[in-house]
Amino acid sequence: MQIGIIGLGRMGANIARRLTRGGHQCVVWDRKPEAVESLAKEGMTGASSPEDMAGALASPRVFWIMLPAGDPTEAMVQQIAAFAQPGDVIIDGGNTFYKDDIRRAKELGEKQIQYVDVGTSGGVWGLERGYCMMIGGETETVRNLDPIFDCLAPGLGTIERTRARHAEDDRAERGYIHAGAAGSGHFVKMVHNGIEYGLMQAYAEGFDVLKTKNSPLLPDDERYELNLTDIAEVWRRGSVISSWLLDLTAEALAGDHDLSKFSGKVADSGEGRWTIHAAMEEAVPVYVLSAALYARYRSREENSYADKLLSAMRFGFGGHVEIPQ
Amino acid sequence: MQIGIIGLGRMGANIARRLTRGGHQCVVWDRKPEAVESLAKEGMTGASSPEDMAGALASPRVFWIMLPAGDPTEAMVQQIAAFAQPGDVIIDGGNTFYKDDIRRAKELGEKQIQYVDVGTSGGVWGLERGYCMMIGGETETVRNLDPIFDCLAPGLGTIERTRARHAEDDRAERGYIHAGAAGSGHFVKMVHNGIEYGLMQAYAEGFDVLKTKNSPLLPDDERYELNLTDIAEVWRRGSVISSWLLDLTAEALAGDHDLSKFSGKVADSGEGRWTIHAAMEEAVPVYVLSAALYARYRSREENSYADKLLSAMRFGFGGHVEIPQ
Amino acid sequence: MQIGIIGLGRMGANIARRLTRGGHQCVVWDRKPEAVESLAKEGMTGASSPEDMAGALASPRVFWIMLPAGDPTEAMVQQIAAFAQPGDVIIDGGNTFYKDDIRRAKELGEKQIQYVDVGTSGGVWGLERGYCMMIGGETETVRNLDPIFDCLAPGLGTIERTRARHAEDDRAERGYIHAGAAGSGHFVKMVHNGIEYGLMQAYAEGFDVLKTKNSPLLPDDERYELNLTDIAEVWRRGSVISSWLLDLTAEALAGDHDLSKFSGKVADSGEGRWTIHAAMEEAVPVYVLSAALYARYRSREENSYADKLLSAMRFGFGGHVEIPQ
Amino acid sequence: MQIGIIGLGRMGANIARRLTRGGHQCVVWDRKPEAVESLAKEGMTGASSPEDMAGALASPRVFWIMLPAGDPTEAMVQQIAAFAQPGDVIIDGGNTFYKDDIRRAKELGEKQIQYVDVGTSGGVWGLERGYCMMIGGETETVRNLDPIFDCLAPGLGTIERTRARHAEDDRAERGYIHAGAAGSGHFVKMVHNGIEYGLMQAYAEGFDVLKTKNSPLLPDDERYELNLTDIAEVWRRGSVISSWLLDLTAEALAGDHDLSKFSGKVADSGEGRWTIHAAMEEAVPVYVLSAALYARYRSREENSYADKLLSAMRFGFGGHVEIPQ
């Protein structure tokens, strides 16, 4: 198929590469001309603007936007909508809040422009491993785009098949699903990231308990000298908690078991927060997903006002002094 | 009554003072002679050692130990036990782990020495306001000590009486209870402190949300200029969340609304942790009490290993760089 | 002053009563005629519609809306706005989301109608104890309404004054504050309720630990027979955790120490959730406030899907069977 | 090697089978004679008692105890210790609290009996996949047992090797580690299970958010019809959160997407609780690991006392009625 890719950061460029390798024709554009030139050298068609891209694509045209969520993506959706024709398709492959998808699909639908939201997991490894995709949009539109999704997905690969699975639709096994109506792709991806935060925090807390057990501050007979690098490695081998995140942990620890090059200040992005919002709209208790998010907030603070207030109260009722000299 | 007070820190000395003002005869001892001399000048009888104290008391003797929990208290209990006579009473007024009380009561019981555990709340304000006491031990022994507890307790005072209360035992209204068998006094006090942590953390988080709403980092139209000092004050007046801890908060904020003299590193003591242990033995979910404890642990760390591991994983799967320059 | 009160539920009716007793002239309206008649019999002026109320008030008119948050309040604001004159004031005394206040103030401002948001705490006790109020709006408007707020507030009363307080503005001490621009009143009230949830959950968890310590399922030597009614009572007396919520707990337990008439399903309202939203916008960790909210969600579920999934995984890796016969 | 296996439940029997297949000679005993007979038919040597087993083994003898943690294991350790000779080795392959290991190693060391603790992960899949083992004990003893561990471990298999790993000791890659001194094997296994709880809860909460998004209670335009079976499947394929627990989830959902055969009451075992204890001794904040444990406690309750107390307070201050008819 022919497809236009807008936004040639790591994700966008690799998606274009994987599609090109799969025999699809990519027309590419980025606000940085050098990013366009670089892919042009790899055999893709460079465009000088989104409008120029539109001219290079046959109707109905497919635009895949791979830009930072929020304003940049929103602006591009509107820019394309301004010149798109009935039947054209706009795909948002970024991490958009799903309610924005619902709104856009409705607005674009009035002009008979199709809108498809694709939640994409796979990070920097996607070019090699393929992308896991969760797709929202109208059934026929999603079906028409199948060659694209099929190419980007990992495929059956060597992953063991799930026993007891008797599904007519084998797309999930090949690494992508049509989750439902507009927004559902990003909704499922959002929850995926919420879970990701929780999993990461579970490992992080556990390794912290191990690490601190080595602390010279503990009495001699309560201390071990645990090798965290080997522990991460052994857990990859037949344990209940083996996972890709553990693989990454083992790799990180193999190179630097004190993780000394990391500051310990951890960023978070919208999906973690939106998962909490969604849980609140549904009245679902999400203790772990919230706690994982808050740990990241806390990691970026030095001494919080909350903590100071605790000290102030303790001073008030008990004369406890927590005032540095 | 006659009573020996061992340990003349702020709590012990004030207990001795309140008892003396109430007409009781206190024999006092501390390992620091100047603490003994100071109270002797206030009219109490100073002792040169626990053994000397024993000689100055008529049988059956009552020893109130007011020392730091753990080794100091344990050692003193054993020291007194070595010379105590059947019928003597040892009171532990500190913050002992209640299972240690159970063990001691059993050991001392074999020598017919009575053991009473008293959980005491009131902090630096107790001399003036009276002490709230939770008492564990044998019924008759606790009854015999009633003049002591009655004197130390706040009494009915001006606190509005609880509607619908029809109890035969008015000790709770006067500020002390006989909670049950040995250890129960400290058990109830332990849970009291567990709750205290939770309450404090609830205020701390709420005030942090208010404070951060003033942050210059927020966009202009999402920022307020809230006066936290006035907010704490107004909540003392007819709101659902009025409390003594809020009174203390209002006082702290009145003097220093940025709480700039506090480091934000918050200590914790055994009771908070033991409450979690107890909850685990009982399989009671204590989300809030745990979270309050962990916030104190976290307050004392700079950059935790857990946080660094999160960054390491993020680098692994997404190439996210959280490495300081 | 003259004031129109719209919405004569328990809160609205009592506000009207307290104002009338304070010498203010209340014109009252409710969609239920009997509610209007009832207050008319107490000497207030009944109106047959909001428009009728407007006719009965001298300019500039003050409308206090005391309706359920959300659609009912929004509709009434719009209804009044349709006939209000420049200089008129609309007060929303309910529990509105503060961003709706900001929007309304802007919309009404274009017509020179003033908008004031008042967060009100005090519940069913307000008529007697007075209302604690947090007010958002323009400074001059709020000042003009001062007789109203002064009358509704508890006043200095018998509450001990905060030491170290040297404020020029004594309104906080009398029970109300002008928090800032539009929405700030409801913002502060929102955080108040968020804290309230946290405080309540801290007590609830602590009392659960006490209660379960009495469980016949525990081994004899690990069980106490704690009297929770007396424990709540004694903690009111000189302990660090005394509070109004504890007073209410003591009262509830005095009447029914098993709390057997309560189902254990606990409702939550918007403020608790919005506090979490606000914390997420500010990146403030609110472990305790979230956990308190989630406990309420969980209280309303029987067996959650989350719990079933845990069992399904345990069955998968360990053959653990958690399937009822 | 020759080895005695005591306790022929699923784990013990499969360990014996895997060792026998690997060419080791197993002498087996269980208090149920039919369990012994069953393995005898598979070619192992059945013993009629632990003492009988001792007679069938050449010195120095190796006893692998695979019994439920707590009293059964403790009693067996003591029983064997009573007749063991210097140089004999007692292995505890169960889920013992690591401080009990430290005590036993010390006690047995006085008789020159070696004690080795082995934390074993792998569940019902171990016979086929191999067991992931974390071993505590003296270096030489552990080295002498290497043929046993090597046989039970999964080996390198087809799992991709960790990049950047340059360890001299390749045991971790083959699926077992010598973690350190006595107790360290069970300590590491304990933390493993603590993490396991956290991971499981993260998935459980996320899938609950997805499931509830399908709820007919939601307004039509806020509802999706998500296929959780396909979502679990697709996340196995190239997503960041792929893991063995997710594989199990996909399998469970493939068979029964409502999980209707599970009651939702989830058991917990000692390791989850001990991980929290350890974290408290180390002052490490473990928000997620605690929350995961508490969710299991809560899953087993109908209406908690804590929840009822919340309702009682709400009734007290707001007249909110949460009393079933």
Side-chain angles (χ1 to χ4, degrees), chain D residues 135-164:
Chain D
I135 305 161
E138 292 195 5
T139 299
E140 197 185 328
T141 308
V142 173
R143 198 181 310 276
N144 291 341
L145 296 166
D146 195 72
I148 298 295
F149 299 131
D150 182 48
C151 172
L152 288 173
L156 273 174
T158 59
I159 294 174
E160 203 172 348
R161 296 182 75 170
T162 297
R163 299 190 309 178

Side-chain angles (χ1 to χ4, degrees), chain C residues 244-279:
Chain C
W244 192 48
L245 286 165
L246 182 64
D247 294 347
L248 297 172
T249 298
E251 190 173 316
L253 291 171
D256 170 17
H257 66 85
D258 284 328
L259 302 173
S260 50
K261 71 179 176 189
F262 294 99
S263 67
K265 300 193 187 310
V266 190
D268 74 287
S269 57
E271 298 90 342
R273 302 181 183 202
W274 300 330
T275 303
I276 312 302
H277 283 229

Side-chain angles (χ1 to χ4, degrees), chain B residues 135-156:
Chain B
I135 305 161
E138 292 194 6
T139 299
E140 197 185 328
T141 309
V142 173
R143 199 182 308 277
N144 290 342
L145 295 167
D146 196 71
I148 297 295
F149 299 131
D150 182 48
C151 173
L152 288 173
L156 273 173

Side-chain angles (χ1 to χ4, degrees), chain A residues 240 268 272-274 276-277 279-287 290-298 300-301 317, chain C residues 240 268 272-274 276-277 279-287 290-298 300-301 317:
Chain A
V240 170
D268 73 287
R273 301 181 182 200
W274 299 330
I276 312 303
H277 283 230
M280 287 198 291
E281 286 183 350
E282 300 176 5
V284 170
V286 285
Y287 293 100
S290 298
L293 181 62
Y294 299 156
R296 297 187 176 198
Y297 294 166
R298 185 62 185 82
R300 305 193 301 256
E301 292 190 278
F317 67 71
Chain C
V240 170
D268 74 287
R273 302 181 183 202
W274 300 330
I276 312 302
H277 283 229
M280 287 198 291
E281 287 183 349
E282 299 176 6
V284 169
V286 285
Y287 294 99
S290 297
L293 182 62
Y294 299 156
R296 296 188 176 198
Y297 294 166
R298 185 62 186 80
R300 306 194 301 256
E301 291 189 279
F317 67 70

